[in-house]
Structures are given as structure tokens and as C-alpha cells.
Amino acid sequence: MEKLFKLRENKTTVRTEILAGLTTFLSMAYILFVNPSALATTGMDMSAVFVATALAAVVGSLLMGLIANYPIGLAPGIGLSSFFAYTVCAQWGIPWETALSGVLVSGCVFIVLTVTGIREKIINAIPTELKFAVGAGIGFFIAFLGLKNAGIIVGNKATLVALGDLHNSAVLLAVFGIVITIVLMTLNINGAIFIGMAATVIVGMLFQLIDVPTQIVAPIPDISPTFGQAIFHLGDIFTPQMLIVILTFFFIDFFDTAGTLVAVANQAGFMKDNKVPRASRALFADSSATIVGSILGTSTTTSYVESTAGVAVGGRTGLTAIVIAICFALSMFFSPLLGVITSAVTTPALVIVGILMIGNVAHIDWSKFEIAVPCFMVILMMVLSFSIASGIALGFIFYPITMFFKGRYKEVHPIMYILMILFILYFVFVV
């Protein structure tokens, strides 16, 4: 363990890494049910997608742990699966088999960019201030996501968003989880986030808000209805419409992963000289998982920002990712037990992690307007557009502009100017 993961060097222990892995898994477990439900609307077999989702998470997390030694869990991204199901298949009428081929191709493009080092150079070219803004923005985003999923924040025709029904039992359970976790964090209790989630589950069962599992073990469903379809339909991707699909998968996953990697590296204290160590290895794991996932029968696999929940518990090495992979593997056998992981259970973890991550704003020089504008746009637009990728895109467009007119254009890496142009084209032709 020590030789493989360098536990002492990273000031962690096996016990801490296991606890971190369990915490991250519990924060990610919802994807096992949400992803199959979304992709089933395209005509895909829900049971097969469930297995594909779990296996993609297993492969991705294992690669992340063994190759990159990062405490990051991977699984099919909910934003990407929503785009896959509701835009590509439902609105554009593209068969799900062809859409999976698009995911496969985007993964292959990622591999090429990663192996050549281009992807890592792009991430390292991002200014320090924008990296901190990305971390803070993701903090606000996941806290908002948790509150929304729990019904604490709801939609409102007059004000867009509003406070939810605090008389609703499920909402109150989430509020209880947030309060108890905040108390535990305030008391510096080790593993406070994990304990808070467990307490929420127990209280939910006591008040019959969470069903007590009636079955422990369930047979693993058949994956054959989706397996290999991405390969069999590669010949159908050579159309202008599929080019847009592939580019969209590419852009969203590229910057969602970059944002997550930067956020986790910042929170864990891995950043050195504005660079993410072993970034190419982490990106290779992410790209490979996308390829494997598409062949198994699921949408793009990506690094999960919920990994910051495990980092908050103390996870610092790839052992955390290995634990996550083991949990996803076991979930295929014990899927009935995952029914207790409701939004009320995951919300406390997301809110607490959001609180921890917004501390990144302290490292941004807000007195310099040319820096404040793009950082503000990253943070604000992630939440208002409900998209990590869109927030990053807008911030990256404004950064070269404000720096140029401030006379600091020589300080901007050439890659940032290229990204600005690409993001403008992305908004014009894709969004």
C-alpha cells in the first residue's frame, strides 16, 4: 500500500482513505439510478444501462487510482447523459446506438490529446486566478445542486428560484442532515460528512421517509442489449449533425473534467507552481473510461466533482479511488441497498463541500478588475446557467479580453487566446 499509493508522503492512512472512498461513493451513488432512468427514454434497456454505468465507474475509478494516484471517482456524467438522451436522441432524432458511437469517438480524441500532452498543456496554461475561480464556482454549483435535488430550493415563475416547502418531510430530512453535519464539522469530528450521511439514513428509516431494504442481494442484469453497439454503428457518425454531437461531448467533458481535476487538486493541496501534478495520467484514465463506457453502453464517463467530499474527509491518494471502484462493483450485487441513498442523504455532503470549496475566492485578487471580471463570470454563470462548462467558457472568454485592454496581453498564454476563440465558436454554433 505504501509503495503503491505513498500514504505517508500524502499524510494519510488506509483507514482514512477507505472512509473517503465510502463518502465519495455515497455522494456519487445516485448516478446508478439517474443515468439508467435518463437513457431509458431513448429506448435503451434500463437494466443493461445500470450494469454499464456501474462497470464504467469501476474501470474509470480503478484507472484513476492505479495510474494517476488521485482520490477521484469516475462515472457517467449526469449532464452529459441528459444531453445524450434529451437533445441528441429526443430532439435531434439520432438513434441511441449512433449516439454511443459519438461518445466512443470523442473518447478516442481525448486519448490522442492526452498522449500527445496537449490536454495537460491546456490545463496548465490556465491562470492561477481562474483555477481558484473554477474551484469556488464548482463549490457554489454543487451546493445549489444538492439544495435543488432535496427540494430546499425550488423553481418559481415569479422569482425563478425560491425556498421550498419546509413542511415537507423529505425536505426536513435533508435539513436535518445539513444541520447535524455542520455541527459535526464544527466540532472537528473526523469523518463528519460520512457520519452525517449515515445519521440521515437512519433517521429517514425511523420516520419511514426512506424504505428499509427488503432484499439484500439481486442478480446482475444482462448487459448484452447495449454492449458493443457503439462499435457496430461507427459507420453512421459521418454526418454534419454527428460532428456537432461529438464536439459537444468533447467540449463539455473536457472542461468538466478539467474543472474537477483543478478543484480536487486545489482542495487536497496538490497544486505546485500553478500546475496539476500527474495531470496527463488523470486525463488518460478519464479518456479511457469514456471509451470503455461507450462500448459497455452508457454516455460519457467523467471525473466527479463529488470526489471533493472524499477529499474533505481526508482522502489524498488513489486508494480512495480504488475503494470507490470496489463499491461500484459491489453495487451490481447489492443494488437493493442503494435505494436508501436519496437526495436528502447526499445533500448534506454537497452543501458542506460547497462551503469548503468557496474558500478559493480568498486567493483571487479582487482589487484588479481585469482579474475580477473573468473570475466573477466563472463563479456566477456556473450557477445561473446550471453548467460547469458554460461558466468556465464565459470566464475564459472574458480573461483574454480584460487582460488585453489592460495592457497585460503578454502575460496571457497563447493557448488562452485560442480557447477564447473556440469558446466563442462553441456558443455560436453548439449551445
Side-chain angles (χ1 to χ4, degrees):
M1 288 286 188
E2 178 59 37
K3 185 177 181 180
L4 183 60
F5 299 111
K6 300 179 181 178
L7 300 176
R8 290 195 189 94
E9 181 181 325
N10 287 285
K11 299 178 182 179
T12 185
T13 64
V14 172
R15 178 183 178 278
T16 299
E17 295 294 300
I18 292 175
L19 187 62
L22 289 171
T23 300
T24 298
F25 170 72
L26 290 174
S27 298
M28 296 172 60
Y30 67 88
I31 197 62
L32 287 166
F33 301 99
V34 177
N35 193 54
S37 177
L39 297 189
T41 63
T42 69
M44 298 178 72
D45 183 274
M46 183 179 293
S47 297
V49 176
F50 170 80
V51 178
T53 300
L55 287 175
V58 170
V59 173
S61 299
L62 279 176
L63 290 174
M64 184 64 73
L66 295 173
I67 296 176
N69 197 26
Y70 267 112
I72 297 177
L74 288 85
I78 184 60
L80 287 156
S81 66
S82 297
F83 173 73
F84 182 108
Y86 305 118
T87 300
V88 177
C89 296
Q91 294 183 13
W92 296 352
I94 295 174
W96 62 264
E97 297 91 343
T98 305
L100 283 178
S101 297
V103 174
L104 174 60
V105 172
S106 71
C108 292
V109 173
F110 275 133
I111 286 287
V112 173
L113 292 180
T114 300
V115 172
T116 57
I118 296 175
R119 201 176 177 192
E120 184 175 4
K121 288 180 180 178
I122 293 174
I123 292 178
N124 289 332
I126 302 171
T128 304
E129 296 89 349
L130 282 182
K131 287 178 178 176
F132 283 125
V134 168
I138 290 177
F140 279 109
F141 177 84
I142 64 175
F144 179 65
L145 176 65
L147 295 173
K148 170 187 169 294
N149 289 343
I152 297 175
I153 297 297
V154 297
N156 184 285
K157 291 183 179 180
T159 61
L160 194 61
V161 293
L163 194 63
D165 182 9
L166 296 182
H167 298 285
N168 182 283
S169 299
V171 173
L172 287 175
L173 179 61
V175 172
F176 164 80
I178 294 172
V179 172
I180 193 65
T181 308
I182 287 175
V183 171
L184 292 170
M185 289 289 294
T186 303
L187 294 174
N188 293 319
I189 302 297
N190 190 29
I193 295 177
F194 179 76
I195 296 171
M197 295 172 71
T200 306
V201 169
I202 294 171
V203 171
M205 289 181 178
L206 290 175
F207 286 89
Q208 298 182 339
L209 300 173
I210 296 177
D211 294 333
V212 178
T214 57
Q215 185 181 5
I216 297 178
V217 180
I220 299 177
D222 180 19
I223 196 176
S224 61
T226 60
F227 183 78
Q229 295 299 321
I231 297 176
F232 301 149
H233 291 81
L234 279 172
D236 299 331
I237 66 171
F238 300 103
T239 65
Q241 194 176 43
M242 278 305 299
L243 177 61
I244 295 175
V245 170
I246 293 170
L247 287 174
T248 303
F249 283 141
F250 175 84
F251 272 110
I252 296 177
D253 187 35
F254 186 106
F255 288 99
D256 273 358
T257 300
T260 298
L261 187 58
V262 168
V264 171
N266 264 326
Q267 187 179 350
F270 294 148
M271 297 287 288
K272 296 178 181 178
D273 300 323
N274 192 37
K275 294 183 178 180
V276 179
R278 307 183 305 281
S280 60
R281 296 184 182 184
L283 296 170
F284 179 82
D286 181 273
S287 307
S288 301
T290 290
I291 293 175
V292 173
S294 65
I295 295 173
L296 292 171
T298 185
S299 52
T300 306
T301 303
T302 187
S303 299
Y304 260 59
V305 73
E306 284 87 348
S307 301
T308 50
V311 173
V313 170
R316 291 294 182 274
T317 74
L319 181 54
T320 293
I322 301 301
V323 173
I324 295 168
I326 292 172
C327 289
F328 272 108
L330 292 175
S331 70
M332 291 188 290
F333 297 93
F334 301 96
S335 56
L337 295 178
L338 295 175
V340 303
I341 309 302
T342 65
S343 57
V345 176
T346 58
T347 292
L350 297 179
V351 171
I352 297 301
V353 171
I355 293 172
L356 295 174
M357 291 182 66
I358 62 172
N360 285 305
V361 298
H363 304 290
I364 299 172
D365 189 353
W366 296 103
S367 65
K368 296 179 180 178
F369 193 71
E370 67 272 21
I371 299 297
V373 169
C375 291
F376 178 77
M377 287 296 177
V378 168
I379 296 170
L380 180 69
M381 296 311 296
M382 272 192 196
V383 179
L384 295 186
S385 68
F386 206 69
S387 168
I388 292 174
S390 294
I392 292 174
L394 287 168
F396 283 29
I397 289 173
F398 274 101
Y399 181 80
I401 293 174
T402 55
M403 291 292 283
F404 179 85
F405 284 99
K406 189 64 178 180
R408 299 176 60 185
Y409 52 88
K410 291 184 179 180
E411 299 177 37
V412 181
H413 196 287
I415 288 178
M416 292 301 295
Y417 289 110
I418 296 173
L419 289 177
M420 178 187 71
I421 295 172
L422 290 176
F423 275 129
I424 291 174
L425 294 175
Y426 171 71
F427 280 119
V428 171
F429 296 106
V430 178
V431 175

